[in-house]
Amino acid sequence: MIEIHSPTYFACCGIGGILACGTTHFAMTPVDMLKCRMQIDSTVYRGILDGLRKVGGAQGLRGLYLGGLPTLLGYSMQGMGKYGFYEYFKYRYAQAMPTGNQTVLYLAASATAESLADIMLCPMEAYKVRVQTAGTPFASGFRDGLGRIYRTEGMRGFYKGLVPLWMRQIPYTMVKFASFENIVAGIYGRVLRRRKAQVSKGKQLGVTFAAGYMAGVLCAVVSHPADTVVSKLNNSEGAGVAQIVRRLGARGVWAGLGPRIFMIG
């Protein structure tokens, strides 16, 4: 039995984050790839099914999973930081303000955790977007692609999207964890009218899935404009955030929202 809030407990949370984020994001690579391309050019596909048919028909499974390796590596590292640090800072902040509002606690812990997790994610996210949105093959392989970014842009090429990534991921994670925790509490308290310990393991899993999906939809909507900016920034050499936002306009920042809601949910 693992002692809660022990170093082993926090390490297990990090491992859980690797398994949860790395594998699920990798599985959804085809949808993520379509989303990124639709953010760059909203006319390229009519929707998810149209995109899957076109890419799958032309390039097969390999084309659908373009960018799968950086997705797996990047979101595994991000998941480790997101879930490991979230539990750690939730515990630490609860000690610092034992009578504080629980939702404020969730928001503070998630914002701190995500700001650190994104530093781990950013290089792989930069590489992934370039691979998935390049008009011609970006590189001959993973190492060649990383070397190309470094040779042309240096370390800035890997981290130029960090601030927009924070703008996307920190609100995303704050909404995700705070809404998830409150939705779970609401389902047990208002729908099932039982404590978690009084409910079977199967129903507990069902509650988790339902709350996770609802929280996923909320955080996808909140963070989508910044997600579009991240995709455009990593696809456009020399362009800045303000310039990209002006180009996109109020409507353009919402391109690809449907695939993203589907993917995150």
Side-chain angles (χ1 to χ4, degrees):
M1 190 72 173
I2 298 174
E3 182 184 352
I4 193 167
H5 301 144
S6 66
T8 303
Y9 171 79
F10 295 125
C12 286
C13 291
I15 293 170
I18 292 172
L19 297 175
C21 293
T23 55
T24 54
H25 277 79
F26 176 76
M28 297 303 292
T29 295
V31 179
D32 182 46
M33 177 266 297
L34 296 177
K35 182 266 299 178
C36 288
R37 289 181 178 178
M38 290 168 73
Q39 289 172 326
I40 301 302
D41 181 1
S42 60
T43 64
V44 67
Y45 306 120
R46 293 193 302 271
I48 297 175
L49 294 179
D50 179 56
L52 292 174
R53 280 195 298 266
K54 286 181 177 177
V55 176
Q59 300 173 275
L61 193 63
R62 184 172 183 176
L64 291 170
Y65 276 86
L66 187 66
L69 180 57
T71 296
L72 178 64
L73 295 176
Y75 283 92
S76 291
M77 291 186 288
Q78 188 229 24
M80 177 179 66
K82 183 197 296 273
Y83 287 92
F85 286 135
Y86 174 67
E87 290 297 329
Y88 176 77
F89 285 112
K90 188 169 67 170
Y91 170 62
R92 288 300 184 190
Y93 291 163
Q95 288 184 315
M97 41 184 189
T99 59
N101 182 280
Q102 286 295 298
T103 299
V104 173
L105 179 68
Y106 302 147
L107 291 170
S110 58
T112 308
E114 189 61 47
S115 65
L116 296 173
D118 288 346
I119 295 172
M120 303 187 215
L121 169 64
C122 198
M124 291 297 102
E125 181 76 359
Y127 176 72
K128 174 188 78 72
V129 172
R130 282 171 171 80
V131 168
Q132 291 178 332
T133 60
T136 57
F138 179 72
S140 60
F142 181 68
R143 291 179 61 185
D144 178 54
L146 294 177
R148 179 179 173 182
I149 295 173
Y150 185 75
R151 286 192 301 272
T152 57
E153 300 180 68
M155 288 304 294
R156 181 183 179 277
F158 294 108
Y159 283 99
K160 71 177 184 179
L162 181 60
V163 172
L165 190 63
W166 276 334
M167 292 168 60
R168 179 189 85 183
Q169 287 297 130
I170 292 176
Y172 167 96
T173 302
M174 290 171 72
V175 171
K176 178 167 75 171
F177 281 122
S179 60
F180 175 79
E181 301 266 18
N182 282 290
I183 290 169
V184 167
I187 292 174
Y188 283 118
R190 298 178 185 178
V191 179
L192 299 177
R193 297 185 183 278
R194 294 181 182 179
R195 293 186 178 184
K196 181 178 178 180
Q198 298 173 314
V199 175
S200 67
K201 294 294 183 183
K203 283 188 177 180
Q204 288 180 21
L205 187 61
V207 169
T208 300
F209 275 118
Y213 188 85
M214 287 185 276
V217 172
L218 291 173
C219 61
V221 173
V222 166
S223 62
H224 191 74
D227 181 65
T228 304
V229 172
V230 170
S231 293
K232 292 287 284 186
L233 187 67
N234 284 314
N235 181 258
S236 308
E237 291 187 13
V241 174
Q243 184 180 2
I244 286 172
V245 171
R246 282 196 298 270
R247 284 181 193 170
L248 289 168
R251 186 173 180 178
V253 294
W254 296 103
L257 178 61
R260 189 156 183 261
I261 288 176
F262 178 78
M263 177 182 72
I264 292 174

